[in-house]
Amino acid sequence: MSFRPPKGTDDILPPDSRMWRRVLRAFDDLAERYGYDLIVYPVFDSTDVFERGVGEGTDVVQKEMYTFQDRGGRSITLRPEATASVVRAYLASGSQIPMKLAYAGPMFRYERPQAGRRRQFWQVGVEYLGEDSPAADVEVIELGYRFYETIGLTGLEVQLNTLGDPASRAAHREALVSFLTSIEDDLSSDSRGRIATNPLRVFDSKEDRHKLSGAPMPFNYLSTESADHYAHVKRGLDRAGVPYVENPLLVRGLDYYTRTVFEYVATDLDVAQNAVGGGGRYDQLAEVLGGRHVPAVGFSLGIDRIVLALGDEAEPVPALDAFVVVADEVRRDLAIGLVRELRAGSLRVDMEPTPRSVKAQFKAADRRRAHSAIVVGDEWEAGEVTIRNLATGGEARVSLEAGAIISHIQSGSERA
Ligand code: HAM
């Protein structure tokens, strides 16, 4: 039996997984700070959620879904993305809107695997449901931008565009179809096939993009209201200090978008995989799924690509506040009890699980990057432990009561 994971998937272990943990934590913290509650929902859903929600004509639905029949004869699909299921879950809950939701987890797309393009990949994201105001678009785009800032991703570019409302989209689509039909003979067969199903996607074709200089663009068809909404989004981003580049060719690959669309691009990565996140407004999605009108905006960020863009530098072993050293084996149980109490007091503490020499235990403390060693030895009889600062070698005797040890370590006095 091979121990390798299936094609296009990865096992992520330390040291690589440390970066994942740092990035996932940073997102969770930031999303909570912006008022986004957690949503947990199934990794698989009814196939029609994605067929209807993401769109029959999209590459995701046509070529990339992991779809199977379960033993009850239902057509099930492993989620290729989050937004359609989040809206379905909201509709099922009958909850009040506005509702601000955040999520993290694996998504599945049957793609040609390469670096940054995986068959199982992780996304974190937010969906702001029930809010029409451009302030919501600005908040969402800014949140993503601050996240990349927080994790230290450099060379990030925010690309922005608007697709207009359904009426402007329909007018643009009609004009685009007739333009594309007029140059049909020059187009690749892929693009020709898309004229009827998903003409906007022809803008994504590397082969044909340069033939589209005369093509009608979404911004030529904006209603006054859509243009106004977009102007407010841009003004809000300016005020928030979020730099962006307008990209009139940005159309995104999923059908549910209306008005604002955006992508976060890591300019240091290879062009084929340099979109580290994307999102936009999807005011019609709830209705497409059979629910009521729920204007909404959100994004999803690709963790695999983000980790790739952050580079190879391995995160160090997570530092410990203290390592407990058993100087005298008769006190092992007391030391174990002390470790338990210190952990309950929120210190990061560990010890060797089996008897080792004091020297070996100090070595282990160094390996684990402990700030201090707490020596449990004869001084226990006097109600004390010795705390050694492992950076300076300075030692102090401290009352063995957990509170005293914690405040000693937290005050840094043993680090002096
Ligand atoms: P998406 O652009 O399809 O949008 O995916 C978002 C991000 O997921 C991409 O920018 C990329 O970083 C990552 N990603 C996508 N496919 C792969 C893959 N095969 N391997 C590695 N990473 C990948 C959505 O999924 C929408 N749900 C975004 C959204 C949320 N729109 C509104 N709300």
Side-chain angles (χ1 to χ4, degrees), residues 173-223:
R173 184 188 164 112
E174 200 179 310
L176 183 62
V177 166
S178 73
F179 172 84
L180 293 172
T181 310
S182 74
I183 60 162
E184 194 169 355
D185 293 344
D186 283 348
L187 296 176
S188 64
S189 64
D190 254 11
S191 293
R192 251 181 276 140
R194 282 176 172 153
I195 296 178
T197 54
N198 202 352
L200 272 180
R201 292 290 288 167
V202 180
F203 284 116
D204 286 345
S205 158
K206 277 193 212 84
E207 261 179 285
D208 294 322
R209 195 178 264 191
H210 66 282
K211 300 170 193 157
L212 304 180
S213 52
M217 302 301 283
F219 62 77
N220 298 127
Y221 292 81
L222 291 187
S223 62

Short mmCIF file of all heavy atoms in Angstrom, two decimals, residues 173-223:
data_model
loop_
_atom_site.label_atom_id
_atom_site.label_comp_id
_atom_site.label_asym_id
_atom_site.label_seq_id
_atom_site.Cartn_x
_atom_site.Cartn_y
_atom_site.Cartn_z
N ARG A 173 -24.42 41.38 -21.74
CA ARG A 173 -24.26 40.01 -22.25
C ARG A 173 -24.73 39.92 -23.71
O ARG A 173 -24.06 39.34 -24.56
CB ARG A 173 -25.07 39.04 -21.37
CG ARG A 173 -24.89 37.59 -21.77
CD ARG A 173 -25.85 36.70 -20.98
NE ARG A 173 -25.92 35.40 -21.63
CZ ARG A 173 -25.45 34.27 -21.10
NH1 ARG A 173 -24.92 34.28 -19.91
NH2 ARG A 173 -25.52 33.14 -21.77
N GLU A 174 -25.86 40.56 -23.96
CA GLU A 174 -26.41 40.53 -25.32
C GLU A 174 -25.42 41.16 -26.31
O GLU A 174 -25.12 40.60 -27.37
CB GLU A 174 -27.73 41.29 -25.34
CG GLU A 174 -28.63 40.96 -26.50
CD GLU A 174 -29.93 41.74 -26.40
OE1 GLU A 174 -30.55 41.72 -25.32
OE2 GLU A 174 -30.29 42.39 -27.40
N ALA A 175 -24.88 42.32 -25.93
CA ALA A 175 -23.93 43.01 -26.81
C ALA A 175 -22.66 42.17 -26.98
O ALA A 175 -22.09 42.08 -28.06
CB ALA A 175 -23.60 44.38 -26.23
N LEU A 176 -22.24 41.54 -25.88
CA LEU A 176 -21.00 40.75 -25.93
C LEU A 176 -21.18 39.52 -26.83
O LEU A 176 -20.30 39.19 -27.62
CB LEU A 176 -20.62 40.32 -24.50
CG LEU A 176 -19.32 39.54 -24.35
CD1 LEU A 176 -18.12 40.35 -24.82
CD2 LEU A 176 -19.11 39.12 -22.88
N VAL A 177 -22.34 38.88 -26.71
CA VAL A 177 -22.59 37.70 -27.53
C VAL A 177 -22.54 38.10 -29.01
O VAL A 177 -21.92 37.41 -29.83
CB VAL A 177 -23.95 37.04 -27.18
CG1 VAL A 177 -24.37 36.03 -28.24
CG2 VAL A 177 -23.87 36.37 -25.81
N SER A 178 -23.13 39.25 -29.36
CA SER A 178 -23.11 39.58 -30.78
C SER A 178 -21.69 39.98 -31.21
O SER A 178 -21.26 39.63 -32.31
CB SER A 178 -24.18 40.60 -31.16
OG SER A 178 -23.84 41.84 -30.69
N PHE A 179 -20.92 40.63 -30.33
CA PHE A 179 -19.52 40.92 -30.67
C PHE A 179 -18.73 39.62 -30.87
O PHE A 179 -18.02 39.46 -31.87
CB PHE A 179 -18.87 41.76 -29.56
CG PHE A 179 -17.38 41.93 -29.75
CD1 PHE A 179 -16.87 42.94 -30.57
CD2 PHE A 179 -16.48 41.07 -29.13
CE1 PHE A 179 -15.50 43.08 -30.76
CE2 PHE A 179 -15.11 41.21 -29.31
CZ PHE A 179 -14.61 42.22 -30.13
N LEU A 180 -18.86 38.69 -29.92
CA LEU A 180 -18.09 37.44 -30.01
C LEU A 180 -18.49 36.63 -31.24
O LEU A 180 -17.65 36.02 -31.90
CB LEU A 180 -18.27 36.61 -28.73
CG LEU A 180 -17.67 37.22 -27.46
CD1 LEU A 180 -18.06 36.41 -26.22
CD2 LEU A 180 -16.14 37.31 -27.55
N THR A 181 -19.78 36.66 -31.55
CA THR A 181 -20.25 35.92 -32.73
C THR A 181 -19.60 36.50 -33.99
O THR A 181 -19.21 35.77 -34.90
CB THR A 181 -21.78 35.98 -32.82
OG1 THR A 181 -22.32 35.60 -31.54
CG2 THR A 181 -22.33 35.03 -33.87
N SER A 182 -19.42 37.84 -33.98
CA SER A 182 -18.84 38.48 -35.17
C SER A 182 -17.36 38.10 -35.37
O SER A 182 -16.85 38.17 -36.47
CB SER A 182 -19.00 40.01 -35.10
OG SER A 182 -18.08 40.53 -34.17
N ILE A 183 -16.67 37.70 -34.30
CA ILE A 183 -15.26 37.29 -34.47
C ILE A 183 -15.07 35.80 -34.18
O ILE A 183 -13.95 35.33 -33.97
CB ILE A 183 -14.32 38.12 -33.54
CG1 ILE A 183 -14.68 37.93 -32.06
CG2 ILE A 183 -14.33 39.60 -33.89
CD1 ILE A 183 -13.55 38.34 -31.12
N GLU A 184 -16.16 35.07 -34.22
CA GLU A 184 -16.18 33.66 -33.84
C GLU A 184 -15.08 32.83 -34.52
O GLU A 184 -14.43 32.00 -33.89
CB GLU A 184 -17.55 33.08 -34.20
CG GLU A 184 -17.83 31.75 -33.58
CD GLU A 184 -19.30 31.33 -33.75
OE1 GLU A 184 -20.11 32.13 -34.27
OE2 GLU A 184 -19.61 30.20 -33.37
N ASP A 185 -14.86 33.09 -35.82
CA ASP A 185 -13.91 32.26 -36.57
C ASP A 185 -12.48 32.40 -36.05
O ASP A 185 -11.66 31.50 -36.22
CB ASP A 185 -13.94 32.63 -38.06
CG ASP A 185 -15.29 32.26 -38.67
OD1 ASP A 185 -16.02 31.47 -38.03
OD2 ASP A 185 -15.61 32.79 -39.75
N ASP A 186 -12.19 33.54 -35.39
CA ASP A 186 -10.84 33.77 -34.86
C ASP A 186 -10.64 33.15 -33.48
O ASP A 186 -9.52 33.12 -32.97
CB ASP A 186 -10.60 35.28 -34.67
CG ASP A 186 -10.31 35.96 -35.98
OD1 ASP A 186 -10.07 35.24 -36.96
OD2 ASP A 186 -10.35 37.21 -36.00
N LEU A 187 -11.71 32.72 -32.85
CA LEU A 187 -11.61 32.30 -31.44
C LEU A 187 -11.26 30.82 -31.32
O LEU A 187 -11.53 30.02 -32.22
CB LEU A 187 -12.94 32.56 -30.73
CG LEU A 187 -13.37 34.03 -30.61
CD1 LEU A 187 -14.76 34.13 -29.95
CD2 LEU A 187 -12.36 34.86 -29.82
N SER A 188 -10.66 30.47 -30.17
CA SER A 188 -10.37 29.07 -29.89
C SER A 188 -11.69 28.31 -29.71
O SER A 188 -12.73 28.93 -29.45
CB SER A 188 -9.56 28.97 -28.59
OG SER A 188 -10.34 29.45 -27.52
N SER A 189 -11.62 26.99 -29.81
CA SER A 189 -12.88 26.24 -29.73
C SER A 189 -13.49 26.35 -28.33
O SER A 189 -14.70 26.41 -28.17
CB SER A 189 -12.67 24.78 -30.13
OG SER A 189 -11.82 24.17 -29.20
N ASP A 190 -12.63 26.45 -27.31
CA ASP A 190 -13.12 26.64 -25.94
C ASP A 190 -13.97 27.91 -25.86
O ASP A 190 -15.07 27.91 -25.31
CB ASP A 190 -11.93 26.82 -24.98
CG ASP A 190 -11.73 25.59 -24.14
OD1 ASP A 190 -12.37 24.55 -24.45
OD2 ASP A 190 -10.92 25.66 -23.18
N SER A 191 -13.42 29.00 -26.38
CA SER A 191 -14.12 30.28 -26.30
C SER A 191 -15.39 30.24 -27.13
O SER A 191 -16.43 30.78 -26.73
CB SER A 191 -13.23 31.43 -26.79
OG SER A 191 -12.15 31.60 -25.91
N ARG A 192 -15.32 29.59 -28.30
CA ARG A 192 -16.53 29.49 -29.14
C ARG A 192 -17.65 28.80 -28.36
O ARG A 192 -18.78 29.23 -28.38
CB ARG A 192 -16.21 28.72 -30.42
CG ARG A 192 -16.21 29.65 -31.62
CD ARG A 192 -15.92 28.89 -32.90
NE ARG A 192 -14.48 28.73 -33.10
CZ ARG A 192 -13.89 27.63 -33.57
NH1 ARG A 192 -14.61 26.58 -33.89
NH2 ARG A 192 -12.59 27.60 -33.70
N GLY A 193 -17.26 27.75 -27.64
CA GLY A 193 -18.24 27.01 -26.87
C GLY A 193 -18.86 27.85 -25.77
O GLY A 193 -19.98 27.60 -25.32
N ARG A 194 -18.10 28.88 -25.33
CA ARG A 194 -18.60 29.69 -24.21
C ARG A 194 -19.52 30.82 -24.64
O ARG A 194 -20.16 31.45 -23.79
CB ARG A 194 -17.41 30.29 -23.45
CG ARG A 194 -16.77 29.27 -22.55
CD ARG A 194 -15.55 29.83 -21.88
NE ARG A 194 -15.06 28.90 -20.88
CZ ARG A 194 -13.80 28.81 -20.51
NH1 ARG A 194 -12.91 29.59 -21.05
NH2 ARG A 194 -13.45 27.95 -19.59
N ILE A 195 -19.56 31.12 -25.94
CA ILE A 195 -20.37 32.26 -26.39
C ILE A 195 -21.81 32.10 -25.91
O ILE A 195 -22.40 33.03 -25.36
CB ILE A 195 -20.33 32.42 -27.93
CG1 ILE A 195 -18.90 32.73 -28.37
CG2 ILE A 195 -21.27 33.54 -28.39
CD1 ILE A 195 -18.71 32.87 -29.87
N ALA A 196 -22.33 30.91 -26.07
CA ALA A 196 -23.73 30.70 -25.68
C ALA A 196 -23.87 30.44 -24.19
O ALA A 196 -24.82 30.91 -23.55
CB ALA A 196 -24.32 29.54 -26.47
N THR A 197 -22.91 29.73 -23.59
CA THR A 197 -23.10 29.32 -22.20
C THR A 197 -22.65 30.38 -21.21
O THR A 197 -23.35 30.67 -20.24
CB THR A 197 -22.31 28.03 -21.90
OG1 THR A 197 -20.95 28.24 -22.27
CG2 THR A 197 -22.88 26.84 -22.65
N ASN A 198 -21.47 30.97 -21.43
CA ASN A 198 -20.91 31.86 -20.42
C ASN A 198 -19.95 32.85 -21.08
O ASN A 198 -18.74 32.78 -20.88
CB ASN A 198 -20.17 31.00 -19.37
CG ASN A 198 -20.04 31.72 -18.05
OD1 ASN A 198 -20.35 32.91 -17.96
ND2 ASN A 198 -19.55 31.02 -17.04
N PRO A 199 -20.50 33.80 -21.87
CA PRO A 199 -19.62 34.64 -22.70
C PRO A 199 -18.61 35.47 -21.90
O PRO A 199 -17.51 35.73 -22.39
CB PRO A 199 -20.61 35.55 -23.45
CG PRO A 199 -21.89 35.47 -22.70
CD PRO A 199 -21.93 34.12 -22.05
N LEU A 200 -18.95 35.84 -20.66
CA LEU A 200 -18.00 36.64 -19.86
C LEU A 200 -16.68 35.91 -19.67
O LEU A 200 -15.63 36.51 -19.53
CB LEU A 200 -18.60 36.94 -18.48
CG LEU A 200 -19.47 38.19 -18.34
CD1 LEU A 200 -19.96 38.30 -16.91
CD2 LEU A 200 -18.70 39.45 -18.71
N ARG A 201 -16.77 34.57 -19.62
CA ARG A 201 -15.57 33.78 -19.37
C ARG A 201 -14.55 33.88 -20.50
O ARG A 201 -13.39 33.54 -20.31
CB ARG A 201 -15.93 32.30 -19.13
CG ARG A 201 -16.68 32.07 -17.86
CD ARG A 201 -15.80 32.27 -16.67
NE ARG A 201 -14.83 31.18 -16.52
CZ ARG A 201 -13.79 31.21 -15.72
NH1 ARG A 201 -13.56 32.28 -15.01
NH2 ARG A 201 -12.99 30.19 -15.62
N VAL A 202 -14.98 34.33 -21.67
CA VAL A 202 -14.02 34.48 -22.77
C VAL A 202 -12.95 35.50 -22.37
O VAL A 202 -11.79 35.41 -22.79
CB VAL A 202 -14.74 34.86 -24.09
CG1 VAL A 202 -13.74 35.03 -25.24
CG2 VAL A 202 -15.76 33.79 -24.45
N PHE A 203 -13.31 36.46 -21.49
CA PHE A 203 -12.32 37.43 -21.00
C PHE A 203 -11.20 36.74 -20.23
O PHE A 203 -10.12 37.28 -20.06
CB PHE A 203 -12.98 38.48 -20.08
CG PHE A 203 -13.77 39.52 -20.82
CD1 PHE A 203 -15.14 39.62 -20.65
CD2 PHE A 203 -13.15 40.41 -21.68
CE1 PHE A 203 -15.88 40.59 -21.31
CE2 PHE A 203 -13.87 41.39 -22.35
CZ PHE A 203 -15.24 41.47 -22.17
N ASP A 204 -11.48 35.56 -19.69
CA ASP A 204 -10.46 34.84 -18.92
C ASP A 204 -9.53 34.02 -19.81
O ASP A 204 -8.57 33.43 -19.31
CB ASP A 204 -11.13 33.86 -17.93
CG ASP A 204 -11.74 34.60 -16.76
OD1 ASP A 204 -11.40 35.77 -16.57
OD2 ASP A 204 -12.55 33.99 -16.04
N SER A 205 -9.83 33.93 -21.10
CA SER A 205 -9.04 33.07 -21.99
C SER A 205 -7.71 33.74 -22.33
O SER A 205 -7.68 34.83 -22.92
CB SER A 205 -9.84 32.79 -23.26
OG SER A 205 -8.95 32.43 -24.29
N LYS A 206 -6.62 33.05 -21.96
CA LYS A 206 -5.29 33.62 -22.26
C LYS A 206 -5.08 33.71 -23.77
O LYS A 206 -4.47 34.64 -24.27
CB LYS A 206 -4.21 32.75 -21.64
CG LYS A 206 -3.99 33.09 -20.19
CD LYS A 206 -2.72 32.45 -19.68
CE LYS A 206 -2.88 32.12 -18.22
NZ LYS A 206 -3.53 30.86 -17.93
N GLU A 207 -5.64 32.72 -24.50
CA GLU A 207 -5.46 32.66 -25.94
C GLU A 207 -6.18 33.80 -26.66
O GLU A 207 -5.70 34.30 -27.67
CB GLU A 207 -6.11 31.36 -26.45
CG GLU A 207 -5.17 30.22 -26.70
CD GLU A 207 -5.99 29.03 -27.16
OE1 GLU A 207 -6.65 28.44 -26.29
OE2 GLU A 207 -5.98 28.74 -28.37
N ASP A 208 -7.35 34.15 -26.14
CA ASP A 208 -8.20 35.05 -26.90
C ASP A 208 -8.31 36.46 -26.34
O ASP A 208 -8.85 37.36 -26.99
CB ASP A 208 -9.62 34.45 -26.99
CG ASP A 208 -9.61 33.17 -27.81
OD1 ASP A 208 -8.87 33.12 -28.81
OD2 ASP A 208 -10.32 32.22 -27.43
N ARG A 209 -7.79 36.63 -25.15
CA ARG A 209 -7.97 37.91 -24.46
C ARG A 209 -7.56 39.10 -25.35
O ARG A 209 -8.25 40.10 -25.43
CB ARG A 209 -7.10 37.87 -23.21
CG ARG A 209 -7.42 38.92 -22.21
CD ARG A 209 -6.54 38.73 -21.02
NE ARG A 209 -7.24 37.99 -19.98
CZ ARG A 209 -6.79 37.85 -18.74
NH1 ARG A 209 -5.64 38.38 -18.41
NH2 ARG A 209 -7.46 37.20 -17.86
N HIS A 210 -6.42 38.94 -26.05
CA HIS A 210 -5.91 40.07 -26.83
C HIS A 210 -6.80 40.39 -28.05
O HIS A 210 -6.63 41.43 -28.68
CB HIS A 210 -4.47 39.79 -27.29
CG HIS A 210 -4.38 38.64 -28.25
ND1 HIS A 210 -4.44 37.32 -27.85
CD2 HIS A 210 -4.26 38.63 -29.60
CE1 HIS A 210 -4.35 36.55 -28.92
NE2 HIS A 210 -4.24 37.30 -29.98
N LYS A 211 -7.75 39.50 -28.37
CA LYS A 211 -8.63 39.78 -29.52
C LYS A 211 -9.86 40.57 -29.10
O LYS A 211 -10.75 40.84 -29.90
CB LYS A 211 -9.10 38.46 -30.15
CG LYS A 211 -7.95 37.60 -30.65
CD LYS A 211 -8.43 36.22 -31.04
CE LYS A 211 -7.24 35.28 -31.24
NZ LYS A 211 -7.60 33.87 -31.10
N LEU A 212 -9.92 40.93 -27.80
CA LEU A 212 -11.16 41.51 -27.28
C LEU A 212 -11.09 43.01 -27.07
O LEU A 212 -11.91 43.57 -26.37
CB LEU A 212 -11.52 40.82 -25.96
CG LEU A 212 -11.67 39.31 -26.00
CD1 LEU A 212 -12.02 38.75 -24.64
CD2 LEU A 212 -12.74 38.90 -27.01
N SER A 213 -10.08 43.65 -27.70
CA SER A 213 -9.93 45.07 -27.41
C SER A 213 -11.18 45.87 -27.78
O SER A 213 -11.49 46.88 -27.15
CB SER A 213 -8.69 45.64 -28.10
OG SER A 213 -8.73 45.31 -29.46
N GLY A 214 -11.92 45.43 -28.81
CA GLY A 214 -13.13 46.18 -29.18
C GLY A 214 -14.40 45.68 -28.52
O GLY A 214 -15.50 46.13 -28.85
N ALA A 215 -14.25 44.75 -27.59
CA ALA A 215 -15.44 44.13 -26.99
C ALA A 215 -16.18 45.09 -26.08
O ALA A 215 -15.56 45.93 -25.42
CB ALA A 215 -15.03 42.89 -26.18
N PRO A 216 -17.52 44.99 -26.05
CA PRO A 216 -18.25 45.82 -25.10
C PRO A 216 -17.90 45.42 -23.67
O PRO A 216 -17.77 44.23 -23.38
CB PRO A 216 -19.73 45.51 -25.40
CG PRO A 216 -19.73 44.27 -26.22
CD PRO A 216 -18.38 44.11 -26.84
N MET A 217 -17.68 46.40 -22.80
CA MET A 217 -17.25 46.11 -21.43
C MET A 217 -18.42 46.36 -20.47
O MET A 217 -19.26 47.23 -20.73
CB MET A 217 -16.09 47.04 -21.04
CG MET A 217 -14.89 46.93 -21.95
SD MET A 217 -14.24 45.25 -21.99
CE MET A 217 -13.39 45.23 -20.46
N PRO A 218 -18.42 45.63 -19.34
CA PRO A 218 -19.53 45.81 -18.39
C PRO A 218 -19.76 47.27 -18.00
O PRO A 218 -20.90 47.72 -17.90
CB PRO A 218 -19.08 44.98 -17.18
CG PRO A 218 -18.19 43.94 -17.74
CD PRO A 218 -17.51 44.57 -18.93
N PHE A 219 -18.67 48.05 -17.84
CA PHE A 219 -18.86 49.42 -17.34
C PHE A 219 -19.61 50.32 -18.33
O PHE A 219 -20.15 51.34 -17.95
CB PHE A 219 -17.54 50.06 -16.88
CG PHE A 219 -16.50 50.23 -17.94
CD1 PHE A 219 -16.59 51.25 -18.88
CD2 PHE A 219 -15.41 49.37 -17.99
CE1 PHE A 219 -15.62 51.41 -19.86
CE2 PHE A 219 -14.43 49.52 -18.98
CZ PHE A 219 -14.54 50.53 -19.91
N ASN A 220 -19.65 49.89 -19.63
CA ASN A 220 -20.42 50.68 -20.60
C ASN A 220 -21.91 50.49 -20.41
O ASN A 220 -22.71 51.21 -21.01
CB ASN A 220 -20.07 50.26 -22.04
CG ASN A 220 -18.62 50.50 -22.37
OD1 ASN A 220 -17.91 49.61 -22.82
ND2 ASN A 220 -18.17 51.72 -22.11
N TYR A 221 -22.30 49.50 -19.64
CA TYR A 221 -23.73 49.16 -19.54
C TYR A 221 -24.30 49.38 -18.14
O TYR A 221 -25.37 48.92 -17.82
CB TYR A 221 -23.95 47.70 -19.98
CG TYR A 221 -23.68 47.56 -21.46
CD1 TYR A 221 -22.38 47.43 -21.93
CD2 TYR A 221 -24.72 47.62 -22.37
CE1 TYR A 221 -22.12 47.36 -23.29
CE2 TYR A 221 -24.47 47.54 -23.74
CZ TYR A 221 -23.16 47.42 -24.19
OH TYR A 221 -22.92 47.36 -25.53
N LEU A 222 -23.54 50.05 -17.30
CA LEU A 222 -23.98 50.22 -15.90
C LEU A 222 -25.19 51.13 -15.81
O LEU A 222 -25.24 52.17 -16.45
CB LEU A 222 -22.86 50.85 -15.07
CG LEU A 222 -21.62 50.02 -14.79
CD1 LEU A 222 -20.72 50.77 -13.82
CD2 LEU A 222 -22.01 48.65 -14.24
N SER A 223 -26.16 50.73 -14.98
CA SER A 223 -27.26 51.63 -14.67
C SER A 223 -26.71 52.73 -13.76
O SER A 223 -25.65 52.56 -13.15
CB SER A 223 -28.37 50.86 -13.94
OG SER A 223 -27.85 50.38 -12.73
#
